[in-house]
Structures are given as C-alpha cells and as structure tokens.
Coordinates of all heavy atoms in Angstrom, one line a residue:
M8 N 0.8 -1.2 0.0 CA 0.0 0.0 0.0 C 0.9 1.2 0.0 O 1.8 1.3 0.7 CB -0.9 -0.1 1.3 CG -1.5 1.3 1.7 SD -3.3 1.2 1.8 CE -3.7 2.9 1.9
V9 N 0.5 2.2 -0.8 CA 1.3 3.5 -0.8 C 0.3 4.6 -0.3 O -0.9 4.4 -0.4 CB 1.8 3.9 -2.2 CG1 2.9 2.9 -2.7 CG2 0.6 3.9 -3.3
S10 N 0.9 5.6 0.2 CA 0.1 6.7 0.7 C -0.3 7.6 -0.5 O 0.2 7.5 -1.6 CB 0.9 7.6 1.7 OG 1.9 8.3 1.0
K11 N -1.3 8.5 -0.3 CA -1.7 9.4 -1.3 C -0.6 10.2 -1.9 O -0.5 10.4 -3.1 CB -2.8 10.4 -0.8 CG -4.1 9.8 -0.5 CD -5.0 11.0 -0.1 CE -6.4 10.4 0.4 NZ -7.2 11.5 0.8
E12 N 0.3 10.6 -0.9 CA 1.4 11.5 -1.4 C 2.4 10.7 -2.3 O 2.8 11.2 -3.3 CB 2.2 12.0 -0.1 CG 1.4 13.1 0.7 CD 0.2 12.5 1.4 OE1 0.2 11.3 1.8 OE2 -0.8 13.3 1.6
E13 N 2.7 9.5 -1.8 CA 3.6 8.6 -2.6 C 3.0 8.4 -4.0 O 3.7 8.4 -5.0 CB 3.8 7.3 -1.9 CG 4.8 7.4 -0.7 CD 4.8 6.1 0.1 OE1 3.7 5.5 0.4 OE2 5.9 5.7 0.5
F14 N 1.7 8.1 -4.0 CA 1.0 7.8 -5.2 C 1.1 9.0 -6.2 O 1.5 8.9 -7.3 CB -0.5 7.5 -5.0 CG -1.3 7.3 -6.3 CD1 -1.2 6.0 -6.9 CD2 -2.0 8.3 -6.8 CE1 -1.9 5.8 -8.1 CE2 -2.7 8.1 -8.0 CZ -2.7 6.9 -8.6
K15 N 0.8 10.2 -5.7 CA 0.9 11.4 -6.5 C 2.3 11.6 -7.0 O 2.5 12.0 -8.2 CB 0.3 12.6 -5.8 CG -1.2 12.5 -5.7 CD -1.8 13.8 -5.1 CE -3.3 13.6 -5.0 NZ -3.9 14.8 -4.4
R16 N 3.2 11.4 -6.2 CA 4.6 11.6 -6.6 C 5.0 10.6 -7.7 O 5.6 11.0 -8.7 CB 5.6 11.3 -5.4 CG 6.7 12.3 -5.2 CD 7.5 12.0 -4.0 NE 6.8 12.2 -2.8 CZ 6.9 11.4 -1.7 NH1 7.8 10.4 -1.7 NH2 6.2 11.6 -0.6
E17 N 4.5 9.4 -7.6 CA 4.7 8.4 -8.6 C 4.0 8.9 -10.0 O 4.7 8.8 -11.0 CB 4.0 7.1 -8.2 CG 4.5 5.9 -8.9 CD 4.0 4.6 -8.2 OE1 2.7 4.4 -8.1 OE2 4.8 3.9 -7.6
V18 N 2.8 9.4 -9.9 CA 2.1 9.9 -11.1 C 2.9 11.0 -11.7 O 3.2 11.0 -13.0 CB 0.7 10.4 -10.8 CG1 0.1 11.0 -12.0 CG2 -0.1 9.3 -10.2
W19 N 3.4 12.0 -11.0 CA 4.2 13.1 -11.5 C 5.5 12.6 -12.2 O 5.9 13.1 -13.2 CB 4.5 14.2 -10.5 CG 3.2 15.0 -10.1 CD1 2.6 15.0 -8.9 CD2 2.5 15.9 -11.0 NE1 1.5 15.8 -9.0 CE2 1.4 16.4 -10.2 CE3 2.7 16.3 -12.3 CZ2 0.5 17.3 -10.8 CZ3 1.7 17.2 -12.8 CH2 0.7 17.7 -12.1
K20 N 6.1 11.6 -11.5 CA 7.3 11.1 -12.1 C 7.0 10.4 -13.5 O 7.7 10.6 -14.4 CB 7.9 10.0 -11.1 CG 9.3 9.6 -11.5 CD 9.6 8.3 -10.8 CE 10.8 7.6 -11.5 NZ 10.5 7.1 -12.9
F21 N 6.0 9.6 -13.5 CA 5.7 8.9 -14.8 C 5.3 10.0 -15.9 O 5.6 9.8 -17.0 CB 4.5 7.9 -14.6 CG 4.8 6.7 -13.9 CD1 3.9 6.1 -13.1 CD2 6.1 6.1 -14.0 CE1 4.2 4.9 -12.4 CE2 6.4 4.9 -13.3 CZ 5.5 4.3 -12.5
A22 N 4.6 11.0 -15.4 CA 4.2 12.1 -16.3 C 5.4 12.7 -17.0 O 5.5 13.0 -18.2 CB 3.4 13.2 -15.6
E23 N 6.4 12.9 -16.1 CA 7.7 13.5 -16.6 C 8.4 12.5 -17.6 O 8.8 12.9 -18.7 CB 8.6 13.8 -15.4 CG 9.5 15.0 -15.6 CD 10.3 15.2 -14.3 OE1 9.8 15.6 -13.3 OE2 11.5 14.9 -14.4
D24 N 8.4 11.2 -17.2 CA 9.0 10.2 -18.1 C 8.4 10.2 -19.5 O 9.1 10.0 -20.4 CB 8.8 8.8 -17.5 CG 9.6 8.6 -16.2 OD1 10.5 9.4 -16.0 OD2 9.4 7.6 -15.5
I25 N 7.1 10.3 -19.5 CA 6.5 10.2 -20.9 C 6.1 11.6 -21.4 O 5.4 11.7 -22.4 CB 5.3 9.3 -20.9 CG1 4.1 9.9 -20.2 CG2 5.6 7.9 -20.2 CD1 2.8 9.1 -20.4
N26 N 6.6 12.6 -20.8 CA 6.4 14.0 -21.2 C 4.9 14.4 -21.4 O 4.5 15.0 -22.3 CB 7.1 14.1 -22.6 CG 7.4 15.6 -22.9 OD1 7.5 16.4 -22.0 ND2 7.6 15.9 -24.2
A27 N 4.2 14.0 -20.4 CA 2.8 14.4 -20.3 C 2.7 15.5 -19.2 O 3.4 15.5 -18.3 CB 1.9 13.2 -19.9
K28 N 1.7 16.4 -19.5 CA 1.6 17.6 -18.5 C 0.2 17.8 -18.0 O -0.5 18.6 -18.4 CB 2.1 18.8 -19.2 CG 3.6 18.8 -19.5 CD 4.1 20.0 -20.3 CE 5.6 20.0 -20.4 NZ 6.1 18.8 -21.3
P29 N -0.1 16.9 -17.0 CA -1.5 17.1 -16.4 C -1.5 18.4 -15.6 O -0.5 18.9 -15.1 CB -1.6 15.9 -15.5 CG -0.2 15.4 -15.2 CD 0.6 15.9 -16.4
E30 N -2.7 19.0 -15.5 CA -2.9 20.2 -14.7 C -3.0 19.8 -13.2 O -2.5 20.6 -12.4 CB -4.3 20.9 -15.1 CG -4.2 21.8 -16.3 CD -3.2 22.9 -16.0 OE1 -3.2 23.5 -14.9 OE2 -2.5 23.2 -17.0
Q31 N -3.6 18.7 -13.0 CA -3.8 18.4 -11.6 C -4.0 16.9 -11.5 O -4.6 16.2 -12.4 CB -5.1 19.1 -11.1 CG -5.1 19.5 -9.7 CD -6.4 20.1 -9.3 OE1 -7.3 19.5 -8.8 NE2 -6.5 21.4 -9.5
I32 N -3.6 16.3 -10.4 CA -3.8 14.9 -10.1 C -4.7 14.8 -8.9 O -4.4 15.4 -7.8 CB -2.5 14.2 -9.8 CG1 -1.4 14.4 -10.8 CG2 -2.7 12.7 -9.5 CD1 -1.8 13.8 -12.2
R33 N -5.8 14.0 -9.0 CA -6.7 13.8 -7.9 C -6.9 12.4 -7.6 O -6.7 11.5 -8.5 CB -8.1 14.4 -8.2 CG -8.1 15.9 -8.3 CD -9.4 16.4 -8.7 NE -9.4 17.9 -8.9 CZ -10.3 18.6 -9.5 NH1 -11.4 18.0 -9.9 NH2 -10.3 19.9 -9.6
L34 N -7.3 12.1 -6.3 CA -7.6 10.7 -5.9 C -9.0 10.7 -5.3 O -9.2 11.6 -4.4 CB -6.6 10.3 -4.9 CG -5.4 9.4 -5.3 CD1 -4.4 9.3 -4.2 CD2 -5.9 8.0 -5.8
R35 N -9.8 9.8 -5.7 CA -11.1 9.7 -4.9 C -11.7 8.3 -5.2 O -11.1 7.5 -5.9 CB -12.1 10.8 -5.3 CG -12.5 10.8 -6.8 CD -13.5 11.9 -7.0 NE -13.9 12.0 -8.4 CZ -15.0 11.4 -8.9 NH1 -15.8 10.7 -8.1 NH2 -15.3 11.5 -10.1
D36 N -12.8 8.0 -4.5 CA -13.5 6.7 -4.8 C -14.3 6.8 -6.1 O -15.2 7.6 -6.2 CB -14.4 6.4 -3.6 CG -13.7 6.0 -2.4 OD1 -12.8 5.1 -2.5 OD2 -14.0 6.5 -1.3
M37 N -13.9 6.0 -7.0 CA -14.6 6.1 -8.3 C -15.5 4.9 -8.6 O -16.3 5.0 -9.5 CB -13.6 6.2 -9.5 CG -12.7 7.4 -9.3 SD -11.6 7.6 -10.8 CE -12.7 8.4 -11.9
K38 N -15.3 3.9 -7.8 CA -16.2 2.7 -7.9 C -16.1 1.9 -9.3 O -15.7 0.8 -9.3 CB -17.7 3.0 -7.6 CG -17.8 3.4 -6.1 CD -19.2 3.6 -5.7 CE -19.3 3.9 -4.3 NZ -18.8 5.2 -3.9
L39 N -16.5 2.6 -10.4 CA -16.6 1.9 -11.6 C -15.3 2.0 -12.5 O -15.1 1.1 -13.3 CB -17.8 2.4 -12.5 CG -19.2 2.1 -11.8 CD1 -20.3 2.7 -12.6 CD2 -19.4 0.6 -11.8
K40 N -14.5 3.0 -12.2 CA -13.4 3.1 -13.1 C -12.1 3.3 -12.3 O -12.1 3.6 -11.1 CB -13.5 4.4 -14.0 CG -14.7 4.4 -14.9 CD -14.5 5.3 -16.0 CE -14.7 6.8 -15.6 NZ -14.6 7.7 -16.8
K41 N -11.0 3.0 -12.9 CA -9.7 3.1 -12.2 C -9.2 4.6 -12.4 O -8.3 5.0 -11.6 CB -8.7 2.2 -12.8 CG -9.0 0.7 -12.5 CD -8.5 0.4 -11.1 CE -9.1 -0.9 -10.6 NZ -10.4 -0.7 -10.0
G42 N -9.7 5.3 -13.4 CA -9.2 6.6 -13.6 C -10.0 7.3 -14.7 O -10.7 6.7 -15.4
S43 N -9.8 8.6 -14.7 CA -10.4 9.4 -15.8 C -9.5 10.6 -16.1 O -8.8 11.1 -15.2 CB -11.8 9.8 -15.4 OG -11.8 10.9 -14.5
C44 N -9.7 11.1 -17.3 CA -8.9 12.3 -17.7 C -9.8 13.3 -18.3 O -10.5 13.0 -19.3 CB -7.9 11.8 -18.7 SG -6.9 13.2 -19.4
S45 N -9.9 14.5 -17.7 CA -10.9 15.5 -18.2 C -10.2 16.3 -19.3 O -9.0 16.3 -19.5 CB -11.3 16.4 -17.1 OG -10.3 17.4 -16.9
R46 N -11.1 17.0 -20.0 CA -10.6 17.9 -21.1 C -9.7 19.0 -20.5 O -9.0 19.7 -21.3 CB -11.7 18.5 -21.9 CG -12.4 17.4 -22.7 CD -13.4 17.9 -23.7 NE -14.0 16.8 -24.4 CZ -13.5 16.2 -25.5 NH1 -12.3 16.6 -26.0 NH2 -14.1 15.2 -26.1
K47 N -9.9 19.3 -19.2 CA -9.1 20.4 -18.6 C -7.8 19.8 -18.1 O -7.1 20.4 -17.3 CB -9.9 21.1 -17.5 CG -11.0 21.9 -18.1 CD -11.7 22.6 -17.0 CE -12.8 23.6 -17.6 NZ -13.7 24.1 -16.6
K48 N -7.5 18.6 -18.5 CA -6.2 17.9 -18.1 C -6.1 17.6 -16.6 O -5.0 17.6 -16.0 CB -5.0 18.7 -18.5 CG -4.9 18.9 -20.0 CD -3.7 19.6 -20.4 CE -3.6 19.7 -21.9 NZ -2.3 20.3 -22.3
I49 N -7.3 17.4 -16.0 CA -7.3 16.9 -14.6 C -7.5 15.4 -14.6 O -8.4 14.9 -15.2 CB -8.4 17.6 -13.8 CG1 -8.2 19.1 -13.8 CG2 -8.5 17.0 -12.4 CD1 -9.3 19.9 -13.3
I50 N -6.5 14.7 -14.0 CA -6.6 13.3 -14.0 C -7.0 12.8 -12.6 O -6.4 13.2 -11.6 CB -5.3 12.6 -14.4 CG1 -4.9 13.1 -15.8 CG2 -5.4 11.1 -14.4 CD1 -3.7 12.5 -16.4
T51 N -8.0 12.0 -12.6 CA -8.6 11.5 -11.3 C -8.3 10.0 -11.3 O -8.6 9.3 -12.3 CB -10.1 11.8 -11.2 OG1 -10.3 13.2 -11.4 CG2 -10.6 11.5 -9.8
F52 N -7.8 9.5 -10.1 CA -7.6 8.1 -10.0 C -8.5 7.5 -8.8 O -8.7 8.2 -7.9 CB -6.1 7.8 -9.7 CG -5.2 8.0 -10.8 CD1 -4.4 9.2 -10.9 CD2 -5.1 7.1 -11.9 CE1 -3.6 9.4 -11.9 CE2 -4.3 7.4 -12.9 CZ -3.5 8.5 -13.0
D53 N -8.8 6.3 -9.0 CA -9.6 5.6 -7.9 C -8.6 5.3 -6.8 O -7.5 4.8 -7.0 CB -10.2 4.4 -8.5 CG -11.1 3.7 -7.5 OD1 -12.0 4.3 -6.9 OD2 -10.9 2.5 -7.2
K54 N -9.1 5.4 -5.6 CA -8.3 5.1 -4.4 C -7.9 3.7 -4.3 O -6.9 3.4 -3.6 CB -9.1 5.5 -3.1 CG -9.0 7.0 -2.8 CD -9.8 7.3 -1.5 CE -9.7 8.7 -1.2 NZ -10.7 9.0 -0.1
S55 N -8.6 2.8 -5.0 CA -8.2 1.4 -4.9 C -6.8 1.2 -5.5 O -6.1 0.2 -5.2 CB -9.2 0.5 -5.7 OG -9.1 0.7 -7.1
L56 N -6.3 2.1 -6.3 CA -5.0 2.0 -6.9 C -3.9 2.0 -5.8 O -2.8 1.5 -6.0 CB -4.7 3.1 -7.9 CG -5.4 3.0 -9.2 CD1 -5.3 4.2 -10.1 CD2 -4.9 1.8 -10.0
L57 N -4.2 2.6 -4.7 CA -3.2 2.7 -3.6 C -2.8 1.3 -3.1 O -1.7 1.1 -2.6 CB -3.7 3.6 -2.4 CG -4.1 5.0 -2.7 CD1 -4.7 5.7 -1.5 CD2 -2.8 5.8 -3.1
N58 N -3.8 0.4 -3.2 CA -3.5 -1.0 -2.7 C -3.1 -1.9 -3.8 O -3.0 -3.1 -3.6 CB -4.8 -1.5 -2.1 CG -5.2 -0.7 -0.9 OD1 -4.4 -0.5 0.0 ND2 -6.5 -0.3 -0.9
M59 N -3.0 -1.4 -5.0 CA -2.7 -2.3 -6.1 C -1.3 -2.7 -6.3 O -0.4 -1.9 -5.8 CB -3.3 -1.6 -7.4 CG -4.0 -2.6 -8.3 SD -4.7 -1.7 -9.6 CE -6.4 -1.7 -9.2
D60 N -1.1 -3.8 -7.0 CA 0.3 -4.2 -7.3 C 1.0 -3.1 -8.1 O 0.3 -2.5 -9.0 CB 0.1 -5.5 -8.2 CG 1.4 -6.1 -8.5 OD1 1.9 -6.8 -7.6 OD2 1.9 -6.0 -9.6
P61 N 2.3 -2.8 -7.8 CA 2.9 -1.7 -8.5 C 2.9 -1.7 -10.0 O 2.7 -0.7 -10.6 CB 4.4 -1.8 -8.0 CG 4.3 -2.5 -6.7 CD 3.1 -3.4 -6.8
S62 N 3.0 -2.9 -10.6 CA 3.0 -3.0 -12.0 C 1.6 -2.6 -12.6 O 1.5 -2.0 -13.6 CB 3.5 -4.3 -12.5 OG 2.5 -5.3 -12.2
L63 N 0.5 -3.0 -11.9 CA -0.8 -2.7 -12.4 C -1.1 -1.2 -12.2 O -1.8 -0.6 -13.0 CB -1.9 -3.5 -11.6 CG -1.9 -5.0 -11.9 CD1 -2.8 -5.7 -10.9 CD2 -2.2 -5.3 -13.3
R64 N -0.6 -0.7 -11.1 CA -0.7 0.7 -10.8 C -0.1 1.5 -11.9 O -0.6 2.5 -12.4 CB -0.1 1.0 -9.4 CG -0.5 2.4 -8.9 CD -0.3 2.5 -7.4 NE 1.2 2.4 -7.1 CZ 1.7 1.6 -6.2 NH1 0.9 0.8 -5.5 NH2 3.0 1.5 -6.0
R65 N 1.1 1.1 -12.2 CA 1.9 1.9 -13.3 C 1.1 1.8 -14.6 O 1.0 2.9 -15.3 CB 3.2 1.2 -13.4 CG 4.1 1.8 -14.5 CD 5.5 1.3 -14.4 NE 6.3 1.7 -15.6 CZ 6.5 0.9 -16.6 NH1 6.1 -0.3 -16.7 NH2 7.2 1.4 -17.7
E66 N 0.5 0.7 -14.9 CA -0.3 0.6 -16.1 C -1.5 1.5 -16.1 O -1.7 2.2 -17.1 CB -0.7 -0.9 -16.2 CG -1.3 -1.2 -17.6 CD -1.6 -2.7 -17.7 OE1 -0.9 -3.6 -17.1 OE2 -2.5 -3.0 -18.5
A67 N -2.2 1.6 -15.0 CA -3.3 2.4 -14.9 C -2.9 3.9 -15.0 O -3.6 4.7 -15.6 CB -4.1 2.2 -13.6
I68 N -1.8 4.2 -14.4 CA -1.3 5.6 -14.4 C -0.9 6.1 -15.8 O -1.4 7.1 -16.3 CB -0.1 5.8 -13.4 CG1 -0.6 5.7 -11.9 CG2 0.5 7.2 -13.6 CD1 0.6 5.6 -10.9
I69 N -0.1 5.2 -16.4 CA 0.3 5.6 -17.8 C -0.9 5.6 -18.8 O -0.9 6.5 -19.6 CB 1.4 4.6 -18.2 CG1 2.7 4.9 -17.3 CG2 1.8 4.8 -19.7 CD1 3.9 4.0 -17.6
H70 N -1.8 4.7 -18.6 CA -3.0 4.7 -19.4 C -3.7 6.1 -19.3 O -4.0 6.7 -20.4 CB -4.0 3.6 -18.9 CG -5.3 3.5 -19.6 ND1 -5.6 2.4 -20.3 CD2 -6.3 4.4 -19.8 CE1 -6.8 2.6 -20.9 NE2 -7.2 3.8 -20.5
E71 N -4.0 6.6 -18.1 CA -4.6 7.9 -18.0 C -3.8 9.1 -18.5 O -4.3 10.0 -19.1 CB -5.1 8.2 -16.5 CG -6.1 7.2 -16.0 CD -7.3 7.1 -16.9 OE1 -7.8 8.1 -17.5 OE2 -7.9 6.0 -17.0
L72 N -2.5 9.0 -18.2 CA -1.6 10.1 -18.7 C -1.6 10.2 -20.2 O -1.6 11.2 -20.8 CB -0.2 9.9 -18.2 CG 0.1 10.1 -16.7 CD1 1.5 9.6 -16.3 CD2 -0.1 11.6 -16.3
L73 N -1.7 9.0 -20.8 CA -1.7 9.0 -22.3 C -3.0 9.6 -22.9 O -3.0 10.1 -24.0 CB -1.6 7.6 -22.8 CG -0.2 7.1 -23.1 CD1 -0.2 5.8 -23.8 CD2 0.6 8.1 -24.0
H74 N -4.0 9.7 -22.1 CA -5.3 10.3 -22.5 C -5.1 11.8 -22.7 O -5.9 12.5 -23.4 CB -6.4 10.0 -21.6 CG -7.1 8.7 -21.9 ND1 -7.4 8.3 -23.2 CD2 -7.5 7.7 -21.1 CE1 -8.0 7.1 -23.1 NE2 -8.0 6.7 -21.8
L75 N -4.0 12.3 -22.1 CA -3.8 13.8 -22.4 C -3.4 14.0 -23.8 O -3.6 15.0 -24.4 CB -2.6 14.2 -21.5 CG -2.9 14.3 -20.0 CD1 -1.6 14.5 -19.2 CD2 -3.9 15.3 -19.6
R76 N -2.9 12.9 -24.4 CA -2.4 13.0 -25.8 C -3.5 12.4 -26.8 O -3.7 12.9 -27.8 CB -1.1 12.2 -25.9 CG -0.1 12.9 -26.7 CD 1.2 12.2 -26.8 NE 2.0 12.1 -25.5 CZ 3.0 11.4 -25.3 NH1 3.5 10.5 -26.3 NH2 3.7 11.4 -24.2
Y77 N -4.0 11.3 -26.4 CA -5.1 10.6 -27.2 C -6.3 10.5 -26.4 O -6.3 9.8 -25.4 CB -4.6 9.3 -27.7 CG -3.2 9.2 -28.2 CD1 -2.1 8.8 -27.4 CD2 -2.9 9.7 -29.5 CE1 -0.8 8.8 -27.9 CE2 -1.6 9.7 -30.0 CZ -0.6 9.2 -29.2 OH 0.7 9.2 -29.7
R78 N -7.4 11.1 -26.8 CA -8.6 11.0 -26.0 C -9.2 9.6 -26.0 O -9.8 9.1 -25.0 CB -9.7 11.9 -26.6 CG -9.5 13.4 -26.5 CD -9.4 13.9 -25.2 NE -10.4 13.5 -24.3 CZ -10.4 13.7 -22.9 NH1 -9.4 14.3 -22.4 NH2 -11.4 13.3 -22.2
H79 N -9.1 8.9 -27.1 CA -9.8 7.6 -27.2 C -8.8 6.4 -27.3 O -7.6 6.6 -27.5 CB -10.7 7.6 -28.5 CG -11.7 8.7 -28.4 ND1 -12.7 8.8 -27.5 CD2 -11.7 9.9 -29.1 CE1 -13.4 9.9 -27.7 NE2 -12.8 10.6 -28.7
H80 N -9.4 5.2 -27.2 CA -8.6 4.0 -27.2 C -8.4 3.5 -28.6 O -8.7 2.4 -28.9 CB -9.2 2.9 -26.3 CG -9.4 3.3 -24.9 ND1 -10.5 3.0 -24.2 CD2 -8.6 4.0 -24.1 CE1 -10.4 3.5 -22.9 NE2 -9.3 4.1 -22.8
G81 N -7.8 4.3 -29.4 CA -7.6 3.9 -30.8 C -6.3 3.1 -30.9 O -5.7 2.8 -30.0
K82 N -6.0 2.8 -32.2 CA -4.8 2.0 -32.5 C -3.6 2.6 -32.0 O -2.7 2.0 -31.4 CB -4.7 1.7 -34.0 CG -5.4 0.5 -34.5 CD -5.1 0.3 -35.9 CE -6.0 -0.8 -36.5 NZ -6.1 -0.8 -38.0
L83 N -3.5 3.9 -32.2 CA -2.3 4.6 -31.8 C -2.1 4.7 -30.3 O -1.0 4.4 -29.8 CB -2.4 6.1 -32.4 CG -1.1 6.8 -32.4 CD1 0.0 6.1 -33.2 CD2 -1.3 8.2 -33.1
F84 N -3.2 4.9 -29.6 CA -3.2 4.9 -28.1 C -2.7 3.6 -27.6 O -1.8 3.5 -26.8 CB -4.6 5.1 -27.6 CG -4.8 5.0 -26.1 CD1 -4.6 6.2 -25.3 CD2 -5.0 3.8 -25.5 CE1 -4.7 6.1 -23.9 CE2 -5.1 3.7 -24.1 CZ -4.9 4.9 -23.3
K85 N -3.2 2.5 -28.2 CA -2.8 1.2 -27.7 C -1.4 0.9 -28.0 O -0.7 0.2 -27.2 CB -3.8 0.1 -28.3 CG -5.1 0.1 -27.7 CD -6.1 -0.9 -28.3 CE -7.4 -0.8 -27.6 NZ -8.5 -1.3 -28.5
A86 N -0.9 1.3 -29.2 CA 0.4 1.0 -29.6 C 1.4 1.8 -28.7 O 2.4 1.2 -28.2 CB 0.7 1.4 -31.0
V87 N 1.1 3.0 -28.4 CA 2.0 3.8 -27.6 C 2.0 3.3 -26.1 O 3.0 3.2 -25.5 CB 1.6 5.3 -27.7 CG1 2.5 6.2 -26.7 CG2 1.8 5.9 -29.1
L88 N 0.8 3.0 -25.7 CA 0.7 2.5 -24.3 C 1.6 1.2 -24.1 O 2.3 1.1 -23.2 CB -0.8 2.1 -24.0 CG -1.0 1.5 -22.6 CD1 -0.6 2.5 -21.5 CD2 -2.5 1.1 -22.4
K89 N 1.5 0.3 -25.1 CA 2.2 -0.9 -25.1 C 3.7 -0.6 -25.1 O 4.5 -1.3 -24.3 CB 1.8 -1.8 -26.3 CG 2.0 -3.2 -26.1 CD 1.6 -4.0 -27.3 CE 2.3 -5.4 -27.3 NZ 2.5 -5.8 -28.7
T90 N 4.1 0.3 -25.9 CA 5.5 0.7 -25.9 C 6.0 1.1 -24.5 O 7.0 0.7 -24.0 CB 5.8 1.8 -26.9 OG1 5.2 1.4 -28.2 CG2 7.3 2.1 -27.1
Y91 N 5.3 2.1 -23.9 CA 5.7 2.6 -22.6 C 5.7 1.5 -21.5 O 6.5 1.4 -20.7 CB 4.8 3.7 -22.2 CG 5.1 5.0 -22.9 CD1 4.0 5.8 -23.4 CD2 6.4 5.5 -22.9 CE1 4.3 7.0 -24.0 CE2 6.6 6.7 -23.6 CZ 5.6 7.4 -24.1 OH 5.9 8.6 -24.7
L92 N 4.7 0.6 -21.6 CA 4.6 -0.4 -20.6 C 5.7 -1.4 -20.7 O 6.2 -2.0 -19.7 CB 3.3 -1.1 -20.6 CG 2.1 -0.2 -20.2 CD1 0.8 -1.0 -20.4 CD2 2.2 0.3 -18.9
N93 N 6.2 -1.6 -21.9 CA 7.3 -2.6 -22.0 C 8.7 -2.0 -21.8 O 9.7 -2.7 -21.6 CB 7.3 -3.2 -23.5 CG 6.1 -4.1 -23.6 OD1 5.6 -4.7 -22.7 ND2 5.6 -4.2 -24.9
E94 N 8.7 -0.7 -21.6 CA 10.0 0.0 -21.4 C 10.4 -0.2 -19.9 O 9.5 -0.2 -19.0 CB 9.9 1.5 -21.6 CG 10.5 1.9 -22.9 CD 10.2 3.3 -23.2 OE1 10.2 4.1 -22.3 OE2 10.0 3.6 -24.4
E95 N 11.6 -0.5 -19.7 CA 12.1 -0.6 -18.3 C 12.1 0.8 -17.6 O 12.4 1.8 -18.3 CB 13.6 -1.1 -18.3 CG 13.7 -2.6 -18.7 CD 12.9 -3.5 -17.7 OE1 12.9 -3.3 -16.5 OE2 12.2 -4.4 -18.2
V96 N 11.7 0.8 -16.4 CA 11.7 2.1 -15.7 C 13.2 2.4 -15.3 O 13.9 1.6 -14.7 CB 10.9 2.0 -14.4 CG1 10.8 3.4 -13.7 CG2 9.5 1.5 -14.7
P97 N 13.7 3.6 -15.7 CA 15.1 3.9 -15.4 C 15.4 4.0 -13.9 O 14.6 4.3 -13.2 CB 15.3 5.2 -16.1 CG 14.0 5.8 -16.5 CD 13.0 4.7 -16.3
Ligands
ZN107 ZN1 -8.8 5.0 -21.1

C-alpha cells in the first residue's frame, strides 16, 4: 500500500518520463473506473490503486496520462501504451 502522497509523486514522475503535462492529479473513490482524464487535463484516480500491485498501478497511471495525448482508445493509443509499458523504468 502506498500513501496518497507517494501515489501522486509516482504519477508526476511517470508524467515526466512520458512527457505528459497534467494540470492536476486527484484521488477519490470512483467505484466503476480506475481513472479518468478530463478535457481540462485533470486526472482522477480511484483510491483502490493505492492498494494495487505496483505494475498494475503503473499501467493504470500511464493509461490515464496518455489520454492527455489521445482521447480515445484507438490503435495509436494502444500502440504507444504498449511501448511505454514494455520499457524498463530507469
Ligand atoms: Zn482509457
């Protein structure tokens, strides 16, 4: 389990890694989704991510961060996501 602060630090770090620039990172209970990305570049994550396996958490974070670049789950989104997920974290 990570704290909210640790989680947010992790998100900002990944954002830097993939050159994404969210306006704000939020955490709340979302129930149905793991995360969302608004048109105002505010990314909200479900609190359940705090208890999640680090690799799954990373996947969910990078997924939402990529929505800053691609709104939908198109071919390009999926290809880029796959590339980032297969990259080793430096
Ligand atoms: Zn998505």
Side-chain angles (χ1 to χ4, degrees):
M8 160 126 196
V9 291
S10 70
K11 283 184 189 179
E12 290 70 29
E13 283 169 318
F14 177 83
K15 288 188 180 178
R16 225 178 294 141
E17 201 170 62
V18 177
W19 286 113
K20 189 199 163 292
F21 289 145
E23 215 179 285
D24 287 349
I25 72 169
N26 202 23
K28 294 178 174 64
E30 274 302 317
Q31 214 182 93
I32 305 296
R33 292 177 182 167
L34 261 171
R35 64 179 177 92
D36 286 311
M37 299 185 82
K38 294 183 176 74
L39 294 173
K40 297 202 287 183
K41 291 280 164 274
S43 72
C44 178
S45 81
R46 290 189 183 277
K47 289 182 175 170
K48 299 187 177 185
I49 296 169
I50 302 185
T51 309
F52 289 103
D53 183 56
K54 280 182 180 168
S55 70
L56 285 172
L57 298 174
N58 298 309
M59 222 176 253
D60 187 78
S62 65
L63 292 174
R64 193 164 63 232
R65 177 167 173 261
E66 192 173 330
I68 292 171
I69 292 178
H70 180 118
E71 293 311 323
L72 287 171
L73 269 189
H74 276 314
L75 294 169
R76 225 179 288 171
Y77 312 103
R78 293 299 311 169
H79 305 289
H80 300 140
K82 271 188 190 161
L83 198 54
F84 176 92
K85 284 176 184 160
V87 175
L88 178 63
K89 206 175 156 213
T90 307
Y91 283 132
L92 293 178
N93 290 332
E94 259 172 37
E95 289 301 316
V96 186

